[in-house]
Amino acid sequence: MQRAALLEAARTLLSEGGTEALTFPALAERTGLARSSVYEYFRSRAAVVEELCAVDFPVWAAEVEAAMERADGSEAKIEAYVRRQLALVGDRRHRAVVAISAGELDAGAREKIRAAHGGLIAMVVAALATLGHEQPRLSAVLLQGVVDAAVRRIELGAAEDPERITEAAVAMALRGVRG
């Protein structure tokens, strides 16, 4: 029960202030626990972020996969892949995934997160293969690069409206996958 409350508090802190806001004193204050109690559950900030990713990333990925399954045709699946990821940018679960700093996580944690991200990329490989891409995995990685750039742009609060960023990313992705 306390662990769930700590994770929820971490999501809120990340959503409100990014990784700098995620501190053990702030977690203790948000949950009403003593700071020393927080250390009973997590050894470091990186451990909190790692667990958030382990809990939240599968839910996020399932939402992307469900959006793709509802789409008809390969191009529609690719569009759903891009749109759903960008729609999730404002979701507090997504903040934990974005908040990961390679410098804060140990090699094992980074590898787990890389593998989870690879699962997300694998979702779009079949659609790209159907469209005739000779190297669908490479194309999927590059497509994810477009999504990642759009995510960063939205996260930074760019001058463009998030909807315009999404439309530009979708257009670029679809033009790119058509070859």
Side-chain angles (χ1 to χ4, degrees), residues 82-140:
V82 174
R83 283 189 187 281
R84 190 66 198 135
Q85 285 189 69
L86 296 180
L88 289 168
V89 170
D91 187 308
R92 292 179 326 137
R93 292 168 300 162
H94 181 262
R95 294 275 184 179
V97 176
V98 171
I100 297 165
S101 163
E104 288 187 52
L105 301 177
D106 63 30
R110 284 194 308 270
E111 187 52 41
K112 282 188 223 172
I113 291 161
R114 230 185 327 273
H117 208 258
L120 186 64
I121 290 169
M123 289 180 198
V124 77
V125 170
L128 290 162
T130 301
L131 290 173
H133 284 260
E134 289 180 24
Q135 296 182 28
R137 175 99 178 124
L138 174 60
S139 297

Side-chain angles (χ1 to χ4, degrees), residues 16 18 22 30 32 41 62-65 85 117 134 171 173 178:
E16 292 173 356
L22 181 60
R30 291 281 173 129
Y41 293 94
E63 290 184 31
V64 173
E65 187 172 33
Q85 285 189 69
H117 208 258
E134 289 180 24
R178 288 179 189 133

Side-chain angles (χ1 to χ4, degrees), residues 10-113:
R11 284 182 195 97
T12 300
L13 290 166
L14 287 166
S15 182
E16 292 173 356
T19 53
E20 296 78 32
L22 181 60
T23 64
F24 278 29
L27 282 171
E29 183 180 324
R30 291 281 173 129
T31 57
L33 294 172
R35 184 175 167 185
S36 60
S37 295
V38 176
Y39 283 99
E40 291 177 26
Y41 293 94
F42 300 103
R43 68 187 185 289
S44 66
R45 238 171 37 139
V48 176
V49 172
E50 182 181 348
E51 184 151 340
L52 278 173
C53 290
V55 169
D56 293 345
F57 194 90
V59 174
W60 183 47
E63 290 184 31
V64 173
E65 187 172 33
M68 290 178 69
E69 286 174 0
R70 288 189 298 271
D72 289 325
S74 295
E75 284 189 26
K77 288 182 184 311
I78 291 165
E79 180 175 349
Y81 175 84
V82 174
R83 283 189 187 281
R84 190 66 198 135
Q85 285 189 69
L86 296 180
L88 289 168
V89 170
D91 187 308
R92 292 179 326 137
R93 292 168 300 162
H94 181 262
R95 294 275 184 179
V97 176
V98 171
I100 297 165
S101 163
E104 288 187 52
L105 301 177
D106 63 30
R110 284 194 308 270
E111 187 52 41
K112 282 188 223 172
I113 291 161

